[in-house]
Amino acid sequence: MYAKVIVDVPSKHTNRGFDYLIPESMREWVAIGSRVGVPFGPRKLQGFVVELHDRPDFDPAKLKPISEVMDLYPPLTPDLVELAQWVSKTYLCHEITALQAMIPGALKAKYERHIKVSDIHTNGDYGNLLLQGQRTMLLPIQEEIAAFIRDKGSVEIGALLEKYTDQGGLIKQMITQGQLFEVQMIKDRMSAKKVLTVFPSGQPEQLRQWAELLAARSMKQKEVLLYLAEQPYPIKLTDLLNELGISASTVKSLADKDHLTIKEVEVFRDPYAERNFPRTKPLTLTPEQSQVFNRISEAVQKRNHQVFLLHGVTGSGKTEVYLQSIQTCLDQDREAIVLVPEISLTPQMVERFKGRFGNQVAVLHSRLSHGERYDEWRKIMLKQVSVVIGARSAIFAPFTKIGLVIIDEEHESSYKQEESPKYHARDVSVARAKQHGAVVILGSATPSLESMYGTLPEATQGISGRAPIELLTMKERVEGRPLPKVNIIDMREELSKGNRSMFSRGLHKAIEDRLAKKEQIVLLLNRRGYATFVMCRSCGFVAGCPHCDISLTYHQSARTLRCHYCGYTEREATTCPSCGSEHIRHFGTGTQRVEEELGKLFPGIRVIRMDVDTTTEKGSHEKWLTLFRNQQADVLLGTQMVAKGLDFPQVTLVGALAADTVLNLPDFRAAERTFQLMTQVGGRAGRHELPGEVFIQTYTPEHYSIISASNHDYKSFMEKEMTFRKFHDYPPFHRLILITLSHEQIPLLMRSAETLASKLKELAKAMAPTPIDILGPVASPISRIKDRYRFQCMVKYREEVSIAGLVQQAADTLGDVVKQHKLTISIDVDPQVLM
């Protein structure tokens, strides 16, 4: 009879379920996971039902009823509601925030202010209202406004003010006097797509008979009936009109004669409706692939929760193992979720899954429109598909029989969400798979140290409830193809020999060679734009963002300077704004500049540039990669989005132009990310019959991450990096929580940061002898973003200790400052970015 509802108010005081009465008429519809509209104070809000019970916490007579059930089927499954509670506790966010993250944007609450007419009136006579025992005569314009609203039931306030442009003050007065009143209504951002569809009213023979009976002048109508007789099934009205070249009036005339019916029919928006995916069959597995597949298949069939780390070199055939493992899962009438990094969600990956499983596959990623994403999600909810492939949020697909979860390129930092809830999809996947007794595959050629550490026996000591990770390896490429030869180029030596070009002599010669052979090239530069900063050589002025403590990047195509943090843009300066000198120059190299230089050095070269600037339009990824696959370009140049997930037979040369870009960042993971990026981009070369070659240009050729990548030696890199991490108490040996505070005023921010750090140290001391280190407060590496200054504290602790409550308690001490002065506190558990 009662429901606990988490309402759409993310705050400390509302982070719990509120009891509501379930009206008799709604009892068949309200379930755990339902979206409902509920009264909350003076407002009506969206909420999620998280529990059904018959004993409320308060006097039942005082409970308000649920106002409306917003969906025919609950958008969240009971296990997702339970998972949201886990996400809330693990990542220190409000439960409503976790619940909202699990549904598509189309279902997130949109609140509209509507105006209604007061019910206190006399026989519908708006000119004479009875208010508080007094009759009030309305002006003619007031009568008109009241009648307009009454006819429609309610009117959104913006639409009302648009119709009565000059009457804003009068409408406000009518609300104040009680003649009108305001209500808040919950609206979905998206609705199902409907199209007009033509249904024949008879069988083919009957349609032909009707056609013969038509008058001679009704040739178009006769043509329609004969056409429908040949294909007696519903057809879209627009398709019928286009096919026969007729007008809608012709079809309407036949509908008036009851020969056919025109109805609105709900259809799914399909982002791949125009694509034809040729069906593929399972390939013969190599001995290594077979060994790995058999172990995974055994676990899937036993329906035991198990986590595997599949460490396979680039080109070893991990995707084919995924596909055949999914088939094993489907054969058991269970469902599979495949996560891929957003940046690697290429047409190739979708093509392979659609080609193998056809319409059983739904695709979820941010490049879909809201409507497409909503409809793909509805296919999952309505059990029309059994496989989902998508970016990190696809782990929340509303499946109920999950048997397998695959995380491809599991090391990718894009699996960590940087906005609340700051969850890591890898850990959420394990938690959700555990609910279903499902198998998890973490796949990568360069596994994260956290995942690799999880395969060691000591990783689970003292940690209750954590299952060990089983390591599976594939060390050979399919068909025995060799890994590409890797050349490390010392750019200091190039400079000493007079080469000031961005291309080393070896890479320059290799590009010439591949162009002559009509083979293809991939070039990686992890900087977009034309120049990384603009500086005056006379006074040293550097063009910076006025809202962030970061230099502006020059983009030549638009001749603008841009901030890649807040989006600020200004025109290119020809003279120094500080000293007036004309010696203002562009420094550093971005992808635009490399593209320009390639055109100068190799006349006629065809270059496709892929970075954030060239892939903003819908379908742009697919467009560029299709052109490259069809060999309509010689070079694919880009940022890290070209480093992984791509498989092109003609690519025989890969060049990493600046390997130190990531290595020099103030981040303890810099070496790991450099090794991963160099290994992954190198793996794009020589994946088929033609041998591959890689050039890594660097100013630190002696660094172990560069050397290990050049030797395809994950083991040596891991040993050195693990030693460094253990010595400094970094993950995977310790866990981190990063607390960032931001405010416009530095004094208030510093006082708040000191208060927080003192409270953290006080609480940590009370937990002695448990080792908890509190570092800071210090200014963040980027100390100001969007006009807000930033300070941070770091908490280091062993995993067997639970300190979530400690951090939350310390943050709560600043509650008044947060409320009164709009101080922002961001808590990031297991952060991937420390900037």
Side-chain angles (χ1 to χ4, degrees), residues 218-238:
S218 303
M219 290 303 297
K220 290 291 184 184
Q221 294 181 29
K222 184 175 183 178
E223 189 179 350
V224 171
L225 290 175
L226 292 176
Y227 179 82
L228 294 176
E230 294 303 316
Q231 42 181 27
Y233 52 82
I235 183 172
K236 290 181 187 177
L237 176 61
T238 52

Side-chain angles (χ1 to χ4, degrees), residues 409-428:
E409 309 292 4
E410 67 84 28
H411 64 277
E412 276 292 322
S413 59
S414 60
Y415 284 124
K416 171 73 171 179
Q417 175 145 310
E418 297 304 328
E419 298 173 354
S420 188
K422 299 191 174 190
Y423 66 90
H424 199 299
R426 181 179 59 217
D427 299 324
V428 174

Side-chain angles (χ1 to χ4, degrees), residues 311-315 318 344 408-412 443-447 477 484 522 524 640 642-646 654 672-685 687 694 709 712:
H311 179 199
V313 299
T314 56
K318 293 187 291 295
S344 296
D408 190 35
E409 309 292 4
E410 67 84 28
H411 64 277
E412 276 292 322
S444 177
T446 54
R477 281 187 160 184
V522 170
L524 167 75
Q640 60 178 324
V642 305
K644 44 208 167 281
L646 304 179
V654 167
E672 181 181 12
R673 288 189 174 137
T674 298
F675 171 79
Q676 290 166 343
L677 192 57
M678 294 304 104
T679 303
Q680 292 286 348
V681 74
R684 299 314 104 204
R687 295 173 68 93
V694 180
H712 309 287

Side-chain angles (χ1 to χ4, degrees), residues 613-677:
D613 299 323
T614 63
T615 56
T616 52
E617 291 182 10
K618 185 181 176 184
S620 51
H621 271 94
E622 184 170 0
K623 178 180 75 173
W624 297 128
L625 293 175
T626 300
L627 287 173
F628 192 65
R629 184 191 300 128
N630 295 337
Q631 294 183 263
Q632 293 176 264
D634 307 303
V635 177
L636 180 63
L637 161 69
T639 53
Q640 60 178 324
M641 65 178 67
V642 305
K644 44 208 167 281
L646 304 179
D647 187 353
F648 297 110
Q650 292 298 311
V651 172
T652 61
L653 176 64
V654 167
L657 301 185
D660 313 306
T661 305
V662 178
L663 193 58
N664 294 324
L665 292 175
D667 189 332
F668 71 88
R669 288 193 178 90
E672 181 181 12
R673 288 189 174 137
T674 298
F675 171 79
Q676 290 166 343
L677 192 57

Side-chain angles (χ1 to χ4, degrees), residues 752-824:
S752 301
E754 290 289 354
T755 301
L756 177 69
S758 298
K759 187 64 177 178
L760 282 170
K761 290 169 183 174
E762 175 191 323
L763 294 171
K765 190 175 180 181
M767 292 183 70
T770 301
I772 301 174
D773 292 330
I774 312 298
L775 308 178
V778 295
S780 299
I782 300 176
S783 58
R784 183 174 58 114
I785 293 179
K786 296 181 181 178
D787 291 321
R788 293 180 71 89
Y789 295 94
R790 307 163 76 237
F791 268 68
Q792 63 187 34
C793 294
M794 180 82 79
V795 182
K796 283 185 180 180
Y797 64 103
R798 294 293 300 242
E799 185 162 10
E800 58 265 26
V801 181
S802 177
I803 68 160
L806 177 150
V807 173
Q808 191 63 63
Q809 190 178 342
D812 287 346
T813 61
L814 295 173
D816 290 340
V817 185
V818 170
K819 189 175 181 180
Q820 295 175 18
H821 299 282
K822 293 185 171 54
L823 175 77
T824 300

